[in-house]
Amino acid sequence: MADKKRTAADGAAFAALFIVALAVNICLAVFTDVEVILRWGITAVAGIAAAATAYAIVSRRSRSRG
């Protein structure tokens, strides 16, 4: 049972990382004149923050339910 909860949290974190990284990178590329290396850094930080937040929320909800 614990494996299912971890899988749900991991899946949510991966989805958040992918979606946020893609959106941030596209927005920075289209709307700003930020250098590519800096854009990748900003994207990585935003993606990791989103993944950590999603992981924490999903794992906390899973623990409170069961």
Side-chain angles (χ1 to χ4, degrees):
M1 190 73 125
D3 291 337
K4 264 190 175 177
K5 291 179 185 175
R6 286 199 179 115
T7 303
D10 290 342
F14 177 76
L17 173 67
F18 182 75
I19 292 168
V20 169
L22 185 65
V24 167
N25 201 7
I26 290 172
C27 287
L28 287 174
V30 172
F31 298 116
T32 67
D33 288 334
V34 177
E35 294 290 328
V36 173
I37 301 297
L38 183 59
R39 189 171 73 218
W40 288 346
I42 294 168
T43 298
V45 170
I48 291 169
T53 303
Y55 186 86
I57 290 170
V58 172
S59 65
R60 178 173 287 173
R61 284 188 182 173
S62 296
R63 275 189 267 136
S64 67
R65 288 185 183 167

